[in-house]
Amino acid sequence: MATSEDELFEKAAMVRKRAYAPYSKFRVGAAIEDESGRVHIGCNVENAAYPIGACAEASAIGAMIAEGGKTIRRIAIIGGGEAIETCTPCGGCRQRIAEFADENTEIILKDGAGHVRRFSVAELLPESFALKPASQL
Ligand code: THU
């Protein structure tokens, strides 16, 4: 059975609670539905050496690839400190999402008031960088 958008947000909210964010106190959870309907989750994992912390989206993409998923059909993201805000993915994560996206991929964000915003990759990362496979060069 296909995962509903509500279920995807529920999973993102659940994994957000497991985030390791002692420095920023900004917890983020992400849930990806892949091309076969499987769901992969990830949260941000900070580090005392700040720049090496991982974003929730990167963690969820890592889980998807490790479990054999290929394409992001939808990625639901929930983040915030005390209050949940609309957490738009950082620039690096937009590029990470683009790597495993197609023209139908949706990035869906929900704030604490329950407002949902949805974007395509082209909207969040216009004119994005991509390499052609070596066979097409
Ligand atoms: N963060 C994410 O996990 N995803 C985003 O899209 C934006 C930011 C994390 C990184 C850091 O642990 C914390 O949120 C504050 O920037």
Side-chain angles (χ1 to χ4, degrees):
M1 203 181 73
T3 308
S4 73
E5 194 168 291
D6 282 349
E7 283 173 314
L8 214 54
F9 276 125
E10 272 168 31
K11 289 189 174 162
M14 179 279 294
V15 70
R16 176 180 174 272
K17 294 188 182 145
R18 298 187 191 144
Y20 177 74
Y23 306 106
S24 73
K25 314 267 191 238
F26 192 96
R27 294 167 174 272
V28 186
I32 292 173
E33 182 189 47
D34 73 14
E35 74 286 354
S36 51
R38 285 183 304 166
V39 176
H40 312 279
I41 58 174
C43 55
N44 54 331
V45 183
E46 297 184 348
N47 193 281
Y50 292 177
I52 68 166
C55 284
E57 297 89 329
S59 301
I61 288 169
M64 180 185 85
I65 295 302
E67 288 162 25
K70 303 259 181 287
T71 305
I72 300 171
R73 196 185 273 167
R74 290 186 289 184
I75 177 166
I77 305 164
I78 295 193
E82 291 282 298
I84 306 283
E85 305 166 17
T86 297
C87 179
T88 52
C90 76
C93 284
R94 293 175 193 211
Q95 184 73 33
R96 290 188 179 95
I97 293 167
E99 183 78 21
F100 302 103
D102 63 21
E103 60 285 357
N104 298 315
T105 298
E106 282 190 319
I107 296 146
I108 50 177
L109 317 170
K110 184 147 86 170
D111 70 12
H115 295 131
V116 175
R117 297 182 68 194
R118 66 190 78 241
F119 299 93
S120 66
V121 175
E123 285 172 319
L124 291 189
L125 195 68
E127 306 297 332
S128 64
F129 174 76
L131 284 178
K132 289 186 186 135
S135 58
Q136 291 176 29
L137 288 176

